[in-house]
Amino acid sequence: MSESLRHAWAIFKRELRSYFESPVAYVFLVVFLVMAAFLTFSVGNYYENRQADLRMFFFWHPWIYLLLAPAAAMRLWSEEARSGTLELLFTLPVTITQAIVGKFLAAWFFLTIALALTAPVIITTYYLGNPDSGVIIGGYIGSFLLAGIYLSVGMLTSAMTRNQVISFVVAIVILLFLLLAGWPPVTGYLVHWAPLWLVNGVAACGFMPHFESLQRGVIDARNIVHAASVMVFMLFANRIVLEWRKSS
Amino acid sequence: MLTVDKLQKNFGPIDAVRNISFDLKKGDVLGFLGPNGAGKSTTMRIITGYLQPSGGTATVNGFDIGKQSVAARRQLGYLPENAPVYQDMTVQHFLNFIAEIRGFRGNERRRRVDRIMDICKIEPVRRQSVDTLSKGYRQRVCFAQAILHDPPILIMDEPTDGLDPNQKAIVRQMILDMAQTKAIIISTHILEEVDAVCNRTIIISRGRIVAQGTPAELKQRSPSHGAVTLELTETPDSVMADLETLPSAKRVEPADNHCFTIYPRDPVKLFQDVMNQARRRSWTIKSISVKEGRLEDTFHALTQTGDNAS
């Protein structure tokens, strides 16, 4: 393993451990699972639909993440800045990039654990009927990528402030914008008065069309590239924010 | 081992560090003194790579802090102000993490962590979470983190701040034990600490170096250096005048019980002049002593010019 990887791996482990060494992780996992189940079974009328499909299950993920991903990401940098450990971390022989990658992957892995714990919903569906496996795989890939995007945004806002509440709220606002940007009612509204390039620009920022296409079981490289480029962009911005804080 | 060259740092319109330069060799223990806000912490943060300088640079064991930042940081151990440690980790996990980042693995890592816990006497709390530790233990855990990789250069920002006298003594002894093999900078408000552990001193005020030298040299710059304290069996009428007229005396301060303190115009001659005068006037001397000067006095004289709060 190269030194960069070792450093990122050490930070990854530390970060993941710190989720589980406090009650945060357990509260988070329980809330996530309760919300996922409640929205799928009760609000989504899972049984009444009399159809073994998981559209309603995946439909709610962008909204559950909207609340929970910023909560999982808000402490990543804010807490370090508040408690002074940021000074410790950045005087160790690690680069900013190694720290960003380690922290981001730890948070993403944590949300992936949450996602994996929804397996009983899938098992139930297979027990009840014969769902389309392609749709389920696509849905999970989409949800996984969505979690990464949300966390990359939440981590960026966390780097901007030592106040976790501010980080949380700003992340929600940015994510809400990205969430709604590609939604037909929003673009439909813009079409009437905004120039075409703006409408297209706003629509291109949004990740809902990509998520929806994955949800339909269409695993298209373009969707994955889009998600990856949003994450890389956010992590890069994260680096710039941290460097700027160092030199100002 | 450490060369600091014309370091500057401004936060917006405020010049926090202006043109600071110094050299440090192996065996040097540099006491970094200055009022709050004088730029001590900022200078240390730049040398350790946490902040980028606005101008100038520093070289750590041959590595430039700007161009070879990571390599330079490998040569350093750093104890930041207030000893920050990850609150939610146990002492053992925290030190494992640091050891891993410092490039130690497997048995080597275990050996290093065990050894450092022994040196810093934190073995009893190894399984405790950091946020349950007392200030003294937390300080020593952070200290352990700084010396785990046995760095040639050690930088400590107020290492004994908030410790009780026993803990202070432990930390000072640890610094002295390492002094021979390292170059060390400590910043402190406690001037007796400088006497106890440092062989070099820099006083900074408002971002500038205002004095440097050995602690003894700085004491010589204090107004009380060479002052003579004289105790007589009785106070003759003319004693004040007799002392004040000495050419090497500047000022005489009487105290209770026939005591006088004579501040020098010429610290080298004063003692002899006082003795001669006593012989001439036939005073009976109960005791007489020469003051070596106080670091506090030098510190006050050099830093109490205007507002240092910026």
PDB file of all heavy atoms in Angstrom, chain B residues 32 38 64 67 93 108 111 154 156 175 187 197 201 215 245 257 272 287 290 302:
ATOM      1  N   PHE B  32       9.984  30.674  24.176  1.00  0.00           N
ATOM      2  CA  PHE B  32       9.367  31.663  23.316  1.00  0.00           C
ATOM      3  C   PHE B  32       8.417  32.463  24.190  1.00  0.00           C
ATOM      4  O   PHE B  32       7.385  31.957  24.619  1.00  0.00           O
ATOM      5  CB  PHE B  32       8.607  30.895  22.234  1.00  0.00           C
ATOM      6  CG  PHE B  32       8.587  31.546  20.901  1.00  0.00           C
ATOM      7  CD1 PHE B  32       9.736  32.106  20.369  1.00  0.00           C
ATOM      8  CD2 PHE B  32       7.420  31.569  20.159  1.00  0.00           C
ATOM      9  CE1 PHE B  32       9.710  32.686  19.113  1.00  0.00           C
ATOM     10  CE2 PHE B  32       7.391  32.147  18.918  1.00  0.00           C
ATOM     11  CZ  PHE B  32       8.542  32.708  18.395  1.00  0.00           C
ATOM     12  N   ALA B  38       0.817  38.183  21.025  1.00  0.00           N
ATOM     13  CA  ALA B  38       2.058  38.745  20.483  1.00  0.00           C
ATOM     14  C   ALA B  38       2.491  38.054  19.192  1.00  0.00           C
ATOM     15  O   ALA B  38       3.309  38.566  18.450  1.00  0.00           O
ATOM     16  CB  ALA B  38       3.174  38.644  21.520  1.00  0.00           C
ATOM     17  N   ASP B  64      11.970  22.524   3.362  1.00  0.00           N
ATOM     18  CA  ASP B  64      11.267  23.795   3.341  1.00  0.00           C
ATOM     19  C   ASP B  64       9.788  23.577   3.686  1.00  0.00           C
ATOM     20  O   ASP B  64       9.133  22.706   3.106  1.00  0.00           O
ATOM     21  CB  ASP B  64      11.393  24.396   1.941  1.00  0.00           C
ATOM     22  CG  ASP B  64      10.799  25.782   1.867  1.00  0.00           C
ATOM     23  OD1 ASP B  64       9.554  25.897   1.761  1.00  0.00           O
ATOM     24  OD2 ASP B  64      11.571  26.747   1.939  1.00  0.00           O
ATOM     25  N   LYS B  67       7.608  24.222   0.308  1.00  0.00           N
ATOM     26  CA  LYS B  67       7.785  23.355  -0.867  1.00  0.00           C
ATOM     27  C   LYS B  67       7.770  21.874  -0.507  1.00  0.00           C
ATOM     28  O   LYS B  67       7.384  21.038  -1.312  1.00  0.00           O
ATOM     29  CB  LYS B  67       9.101  23.693  -1.575  1.00  0.00           C
ATOM     30  CG  LYS B  67       9.120  25.108  -2.142  1.00  0.00           C
ATOM     31  CD  LYS B  67      10.372  25.325  -2.986  1.00  0.00           C
ATOM     32  CE  LYS B  67      10.650  26.793  -3.221  1.00  0.00           C
ATOM     33  NZ  LYS B  67      11.419  27.423  -2.120  1.00  0.00           N
ATOM     34  N   HIS B  93      -6.570   3.911  21.228  1.00  0.00           N
ATOM     35  CA  HIS B  93      -6.956   4.063  19.818  1.00  0.00           C
ATOM     36  C   HIS B  93      -6.361   5.326  19.211  1.00  0.00           C
ATOM     37  O   HIS B  93      -5.935   5.345  18.056  1.00  0.00           O
ATOM     38  CB  HIS B  93      -8.479   4.094  19.682  1.00  0.00           C
ATOM     39  CG  HIS B  93      -9.111   2.751  19.864  1.00  0.00           C
ATOM     40  ND1 HIS B  93     -10.424   2.586  20.227  1.00  0.00           N
ATOM     41  CD2 HIS B  93      -8.598   1.513  19.742  1.00  0.00           C
ATOM     42  CE1 HIS B  93     -10.694   1.298  20.319  1.00  0.00           C
ATOM     43  NE2 HIS B  93      -9.599   0.626  20.033  1.00  0.00           N
ATOM     44  N   GLU B 108       6.096  -2.944  15.519  1.00  0.00           N
ATOM     45  CA  GLU B 108       6.763  -1.664  15.722  1.00  0.00           C
ATOM     46  C   GLU B 108       5.770  -0.648  16.306  1.00  0.00           C
ATOM     47  O   GLU B 108       6.089   0.093  17.236  1.00  0.00           O
ATOM     48  CB  GLU B 108       7.329  -1.165  14.388  1.00  0.00           C
ATOM     49  CG  GLU B 108       7.840   0.262  14.395  1.00  0.00           C
ATOM     50  CD  GLU B 108       9.188   0.418  15.098  1.00  0.00           C
ATOM     51  OE1 GLU B 108       9.689  -0.590  15.628  1.00  0.00           O
ATOM     52  OE2 GLU B 108       9.710   1.546  15.117  1.00  0.00           O
ATOM     53  N   ARG B 111       5.022  -1.537  19.926  1.00  0.00           N
ATOM     54  CA  ARG B 111       6.166  -1.240  20.763  1.00  0.00           C
ATOM     55  C   ARG B 111       6.245   0.263  21.051  1.00  0.00           C
ATOM     56  O   ARG B 111       6.423   0.695  22.183  1.00  0.00           O
ATOM     57  CB  ARG B 111       7.438  -1.703  20.050  1.00  0.00           C
ATOM     58  CG  ARG B 111       8.634  -1.918  20.956  1.00  0.00           C
ATOM     59  CD  ARG B 111       9.836  -2.385  20.143  1.00  0.00           C
ATOM     60  NE  ARG B 111      10.196  -1.426  19.090  1.00  0.00           N
ATOM     61  CZ  ARG B 111      10.835  -0.266  19.311  1.00  0.00           C
ATOM     62  NH1 ARG B 111      11.167   0.073  20.530  1.00  0.00           N
ATOM     63  NH2 ARG B 111      11.129   0.537  18.309  1.00  0.00           N
ATOM     64  N   LEU B 154      10.984  19.495  18.250  1.00  0.00           N
ATOM     65  CA  LEU B 154       9.758  19.415  19.039  1.00  0.00           C
ATOM     66  C   LEU B 154       9.266  20.827  19.333  1.00  0.00           C
ATOM     67  O   LEU B 154      10.034  21.669  19.795  1.00  0.00           O
ATOM     68  CB  LEU B 154      10.072  18.671  20.337  1.00  0.00           C
ATOM     69  CG  LEU B 154       8.931  18.369  21.287  1.00  0.00           C
ATOM     70  CD1 LEU B 154       7.864  17.549  20.591  1.00  0.00           C
ATOM     71  CD2 LEU B 154       9.463  17.597  22.497  1.00  0.00           C
ATOM     72  N   MET B 156       6.248  23.047  21.247  1.00  0.00           N
ATOM     73  CA  MET B 156       5.168  22.922  22.231  1.00  0.00           C
ATOM     74  C   MET B 156       4.610  24.287  22.600  1.00  0.00           C
ATOM     75  O   MET B 156       5.344  25.184  22.998  1.00  0.00           O
ATOM     76  CB  MET B 156       5.698  22.227  23.484  1.00  0.00           C
ATOM     77  CG  MET B 156       6.041  20.783  23.234  1.00  0.00           C
ATOM     78  SD  MET B 156       6.732  19.984  24.680  1.00  0.00           S
ATOM     79  CE  MET B 156       8.411  20.471  24.522  1.00  0.00           C
ATOM     80  N   ILE B 175      10.787  17.224  29.350  1.00  0.00           N
ATOM     81  CA  ILE B 175      11.440  18.099  28.379  1.00  0.00           C
ATOM     82  C   ILE B 175      12.962  18.057  28.585  1.00  0.00           C
ATOM     83  O   ILE B 175      13.721  17.907  27.638  1.00  0.00           O
ATOM     84  CB  ILE B 175      10.912  19.545  28.504  1.00  0.00           C
ATOM     85  CG1 ILE B 175       9.425  19.594  28.123  1.00  0.00           C
ATOM     86  CG2 ILE B 175      11.716  20.491  27.616  1.00  0.00           C
ATOM     87  CD1 ILE B 175       8.750  20.909  28.417  1.00  0.00           C
ATOM     88  N   SER B 187       6.615  27.634  24.083  1.00  0.00           N
ATOM     89  CA  SER B 187       6.117  28.962  24.394  1.00  0.00           C
ATOM     90  C   SER B 187       5.503  28.882  25.779  1.00  0.00           C
ATOM     91  O   SER B 187       4.981  27.844  26.173  1.00  0.00           O
ATOM     92  CB  SER B 187       5.060  29.395  23.389  1.00  0.00           C
ATOM     93  OG  SER B 187       3.801  28.887  23.739  1.00  0.00           O
ATOM     94  N   VAL B 197      14.063  25.155  32.218  1.00  0.00           N
ATOM     95  CA  VAL B 197      14.353  24.244  31.101  1.00  0.00           C
ATOM     96  C   VAL B 197      15.061  24.870  29.898  1.00  0.00           C
ATOM     97  O   VAL B 197      15.605  24.131  29.086  1.00  0.00           O
ATOM     98  CB  VAL B 197      13.073  23.530  30.584  1.00  0.00           C
ATOM     99  CG1 VAL B 197      12.455  22.701  31.680  1.00  0.00           C
ATOM    100  CG2 VAL B 197      12.076  24.504  30.011  1.00  0.00           C
ATOM    101  N   THR B 201      16.349  32.171  24.827  1.00  0.00           N
ATOM    102  CA  THR B 201      15.067  32.845  25.004  1.00  0.00           C
ATOM    103  C   THR B 201      14.862  33.863  23.891  1.00  0.00           C
ATOM    104  O   THR B 201      15.807  34.533  23.487  1.00  0.00           O
ATOM    105  CB  THR B 201      15.047  33.595  26.348  1.00  0.00           C
ATOM    106  OG1 THR B 201      15.501  32.722  27.361  1.00  0.00           O
ATOM    107  CG2 THR B 201      13.659  34.072  26.683  1.00  0.00           C
ATOM    108  N   PRO B 215      18.785  32.967  29.017  1.00  0.00           N
ATOM    109  CA  PRO B 215      18.004  33.557  30.119  1.00  0.00           C
ATOM    110  C   PRO B 215      18.859  34.488  30.977  1.00  0.00           C
ATOM    111  O   PRO B 215      18.400  35.546  31.401  1.00  0.00           O
ATOM    112  CB  PRO B 215      17.524  32.340  30.900  1.00  0.00           C
ATOM    113  CG  PRO B 215      17.462  31.244  29.902  1.00  0.00           C
ATOM    114  CD  PRO B 215      18.591  31.499  28.943  1.00  0.00           C
ATOM    115  N   THR B 245      24.794  59.228  46.747  1.00  0.00           N
ATOM    116  CA  THR B 245      25.884  59.983  46.117  1.00  0.00           C
ATOM    117  C   THR B 245      26.917  59.092  45.450  1.00  0.00           C
ATOM    118  O   THR B 245      27.796  59.577  44.759  1.00  0.00           O
ATOM    119  CB  THR B 245      26.618  60.860  47.158  1.00  0.00           C
ATOM    120  OG1 THR B 245      26.958  60.030  48.266  1.00  0.00           O
ATOM    121  CG2 THR B 245      25.754  62.016  47.615  1.00  0.00           C
ATOM    122  N   ASN B 257      13.304  47.437  58.807  1.00  0.00           N
ATOM    123  CA  ASN B 257      14.390  46.740  59.514  1.00  0.00           C
ATOM    124  C   ASN B 257      15.784  47.116  58.998  1.00  0.00           C
ATOM    125  O   ASN B 257      16.616  46.243  58.767  1.00  0.00           O
ATOM    126  CB  ASN B 257      14.215  45.223  59.415  1.00  0.00           C
ATOM    127  CG  ASN B 257      12.923  44.795  60.073  1.00  0.00           C
ATOM    128  OD1 ASN B 257      12.477  45.414  61.036  1.00  0.00           O
ATOM    129  ND2 ASN B 257      12.316  43.761  59.522  1.00  0.00           N
ATOM    130  N   GLN B 272      31.153  46.858  44.991  1.00  0.00           N
ATOM    131  CA  GLN B 272      32.404  47.299  45.595  1.00  0.00           C
ATOM    132  C   GLN B 272      32.257  48.700  46.215  1.00  0.00           C
ATOM    133  O   GLN B 272      32.719  48.960  47.326  1.00  0.00           O
ATOM    134  CB  GLN B 272      33.518  47.298  44.540  1.00  0.00           C
ATOM    135  CG  GLN B 272      34.918  47.206  45.128  1.00  0.00           C
ATOM    136  CD  GLN B 272      35.057  46.047  46.121  1.00  0.00           C
ATOM    137  OE1 GLN B 272      34.723  44.906  45.802  1.00  0.00           O
ATOM    138  NE2 GLN B 272      35.506  46.343  47.332  1.00  0.00           N
ATOM    139  N   SER B 287      23.751  41.854  56.569  1.00  0.00           N
ATOM    140  CA  SER B 287      23.812  41.009  55.367  1.00  0.00           C
ATOM    141  C   SER B 287      23.869  41.898  54.136  1.00  0.00           C
ATOM    142  O   SER B 287      23.427  43.051  54.154  1.00  0.00           O
ATOM    143  CB  SER B 287      22.582  40.101  55.281  1.00  0.00           C
ATOM    144  OG  SER B 287      21.461  40.855  54.902  1.00  0.00           O
ATOM    145  N   VAL B 290      23.770  40.618  46.106  1.00  0.00           N
ATOM    146  CA  VAL B 290      23.630  41.219  44.777  1.00  0.00           C
ATOM    147  C   VAL B 290      22.551  40.456  44.021  1.00  0.00           C
ATOM    148  O   VAL B 290      22.554  39.219  44.004  1.00  0.00           O
ATOM    149  CB  VAL B 290      24.964  41.135  44.000  1.00  0.00           C
ATOM    150  CG1 VAL B 290      24.823  41.805  42.642  1.00  0.00           C
ATOM    151  CG2 VAL B 290      26.078  41.763  44.803  1.00  0.00           C
ATOM    152  N   LEU B 302      10.178  45.284  28.178  1.00  0.00           N
ATOM    153  CA  LEU B 302      10.210  45.191  26.726  1.00  0.00           C
ATOM    154  C   LEU B 302       8.835  45.079  26.088  1.00  0.00           C
ATOM    155  O   LEU B 302       8.658  45.415  24.927  1.00  0.00           O
ATOM    156  CB  LEU B 302      11.034  43.970  26.315  1.00  0.00           C
ATOM    157  CG  LEU B 302      12.531  44.088  26.556  1.00  0.00           C
ATOM    158  CD1 LEU B 302      13.188  42.733  26.413  1.00  0.00           C
ATOM    159  CD2 LEU B 302      13.140  45.079  25.579  1.00  0.00           C
TER     160      LEU B 302
END
